[in-house]
Amino acid sequence: MKVLVTGGAGFIGSNFVRLTLQVKPEARITVLDALTYAGNGESLPADERVRLIQGDIADPDVVNELVKNADVVVHFAAESHNDNSLDNPWPFVHTNVVGTFTLLEAVRRHDVRFHHISTDEVYGDLELDDPAKFTPTTPYNPSSPSSATKAGSDLLVRAWVRSFQVEATISNCSNNYGPLQHVEKFIPRQITNIIDGVKPKLYGAGLNVRDWIHVDDHNSAVWAIIDRGRIGETYLIGADGELDNKTVIEMILEVMGQPRDAYDHVADRPGHDMRYAIDATKTREELGWEPGFRDFAAGLADTVAWYREHEDWWRRQKAEAEERYARLGR
Ligand code: NAD
Ligand code: DAU
């Protein structure tokens, strides 16, 4: 099986490549990645079954050539960080919308199976006391340029399935944690701050809730969808991991041997979504998928250990990320 993984040098994509080598040993993997600030070739395993092509998913020449030779395209490439989208939305439109369009045209032309990786952010946010969670039929209601462009990409995929019979599926997952995540994101930012002797930074009161899932569970669900999902369907991926940000910061501090209150409150993110929560019943019941990581505290401790052991991997990103946060006042 020839697998084309877009964005495979990023956090979730590089973990997907690693998982794929284990669960599909016969697979030959081509990673197409622009190696933006968020991509790192060193995140990929050195293995003869994996090759990295540096290129832009919005470049039709590069994309056509690679798609033509693939059996399946798994599309992770995106601009993924909300704070950046509030600072400069254009790269989000370029990659998330134009890039996805370019891939869809290529899989349409060459009749190649496509799986689109998306996010729960497209549904907007929930109230803290809302008994409902997001389901595949929740109306789209994105809040930020990041989530609006991801919503746009999902709608393009749906339209290409219906209008052109493209063989595609979509997954919308909740917040991922685990190794190889860029230090701009919430959990690695706080871990690496503490390693550097800097206090963690909590936006606003820290009551916002995210539904945490280990990256390996996200990726095992993606394979379940590619293997057994129905064409044209949307599957939600989540592991019932709702926690507010204040609790997560306190847990990180505790795991790292610091007082639980040793953090700073900083300015809130404009338009900050209050709560995300996934109902993954369809994915579990239809595909028989179950998450393997059920203990967030244990997964967090493993993640802390990974960042302690891999300073060479994250050190170069750290100063640049913190400069950006300093400019944004966060
Ligand atoms: P990331 O920012 O770590 O990685 C994105 C990768 O895409 C990088 O390697 C980057 O170089 C590459 N890229 C960006 N623009 C490109 C372009 N124009 N052409 C080719 N490559 C390009 O992101 P991530 O956190 O790994 O997210 C991967 C996917 O999963 C995204 O589609 C995101 O929306 C989705 N997702 C993420 C989360 C999460 O918690 N991080 C949750 C649900 C869904
Ligand atoms: O839900 C899926 C989404 O999860 C993905 O679509 C995005 O690509 C991914 O980045 C993530 O989005 P969030 O905005 O939820 O993640 P982030 O790591 O930026 O922030 C998580 C929460 O922590 C959010 O409520 C903001 C807060 N936060 C973040 C940072 C960086 C802080 O309190 N302090 C921080 O320093």
Side-chain angles (χ1 to χ4, degrees):
M1 188 193 335
K2 289 175 284 178
V3 186
L4 177 61
V5 180
T6 73
F11 164 47
I12 306 175
S14 62
N15 279 288
F16 179 80
V17 169
R18 287 165 185 272
L19 181 75
T20 300
L21 292 177
Q22 289 168 28
V23 299
K24 307 272 179 192
E26 75 287 4
R28 294 293 175 272
I29 303 168
T30 300
V31 169
L32 171 60
D33 198 297
L35 298 179
T36 67
Y37 79 96
N40 185 348
E42 289 168 23
S43 301
L44 289 166
D47 189 299
E48 60 182 16
R49 292 169 292 173
V50 180
R51 68 173 175 147
L52 168 63
I53 306 284
Q54 183 171 2
D56 185 344
I57 57 162
D59 178 340
D61 293 335
V62 175
V63 163
N64 266 308
E65 200 50 38
L66 295 176
V67 166
K68 194 169 68 183
N69 292 307
D71 297 315
V72 57
V73 177
V74 193
H75 174 34
F76 290 90
E79 286 290 335
S80 67
H81 194 41
N82 275 294
D83 290 315
N84 295 344
S85 82
L86 298 164
D87 194 34
N88 179 16
W90 167 244
F92 291 75
V93 176
H94 171 81
T95 293
N96 300 358
V97 180
V98 182
T100 302
F101 161 79
T102 308
L103 285 160
L104 284 168
E105 283 293 82
V107 295
R108 174 189 171 199
R109 179 170 307 131
H110 300 292
D111 198 15
V112 174
R113 172 82 168 85
F114 186 71
H115 181 70
H116 178 62
I117 304 291
S118 193
T119 163
D120 59 2
E121 286 181 280
V122 299
Y123 301 115
D125 61 354
L126 298 162
E127 298 296 333
L128 290 178
D129 60 356
D130 193 331
K133 294 184 174 193
F134 299 137
T135 73
T137 55
T138 301
Y140 277 46
N141 187 25
S143 319
S144 70
S146 174
S147 45
T149 56
K150 287 298 291 185
S153 69
D154 292 13
L155 298 181
L156 290 175
V157 178
R158 289 183 181 195
W160 261 242
V161 169
R162 173 135 178 196
S163 303
F164 306 122
Q165 294 75 52
V166 160
E167 288 202 19
T169 39
I170 300 175
S171 55
N172 297 78
C173 187
S174 58
N175 284 63
N176 287 216
Y177 74 97
L180 297 160
Q181 187 170 31
H182 194 281
V183 297
E184 69 189 350
K185 300 296 197 305
F186 178 55
I187 288 178
R189 183 183 187 202
Q190 316 313 337
I191 295 171
T192 53
N193 271 359
I194 295 169
I195 291 173
D196 280 349
V198 174
K199 284 186 179 174
K201 309 294 178 197
L202 186 63
Y203 291 177
L207 300 180
N208 308 65
V209 169
R210 295 295 181 265
D211 190 354
W212 294 100
I213 181 171
H214 194 278
V215 63
D216 286 344
D217 283 334
H218 180 177
N219 285 329
S220 69
V222 170
W223 269 120
I225 296 164
I226 297 169
D227 287 341
R228 301 187 289 284
R230 285 178 294 139
I231 297 301
E233 292 292 311
T234 289
Y235 294 90
L236 267 51
I237 306 172
D240 298 321
E242 283 187 69
L243 285 170
D244 66 52
N245 295 338
K246 180 170 172 293
T247 303
V248 174
I249 278 204
E250 288 169 353
M251 291 174 79
I252 296 170
L253 283 160
E254 189 166 315
V255 168
M256 297 185 74
Q258 303 290 314
R260 284 170 69 90
D261 60 354
Y263 60 85
D264 290 331
H265 287 276
V266 294
D268 208 349
R269 172 186 285 171
H272 195 174
D273 279 341
M274 184 48 82
R275 172 176 164 237
Y276 304 142
I278 289 274
D279 176 349
T281 306
K282 172 178 168 181
T283 309
R284 287 173 187 243
E285 292 187 351
E286 195 180 306
L287 306 178
W289 168 83
E290 287 295 331
F293 290 78
R294 292 172 183 283
D295 181 346
F296 178 74
L300 192 60
D302 287 350
T303 305
V304 167
W306 189 88
Y307 281 89
R308 284 198 196 279
E309 288 158 18
H310 293 85
E311 187 170 336
D312 53 332
W313 181 87
W314 58 263
R315 176 54 66 194
R316 263 179 289 160
Q317 311 167 352
K318 183 66 179 169
E320 188 192 50
E322 289 305 324
E323 269 167 35
R324 241 180 298 145
Y325 279 123
R327 191 162 49 76
L328 298 173
R330 294 199 277 283

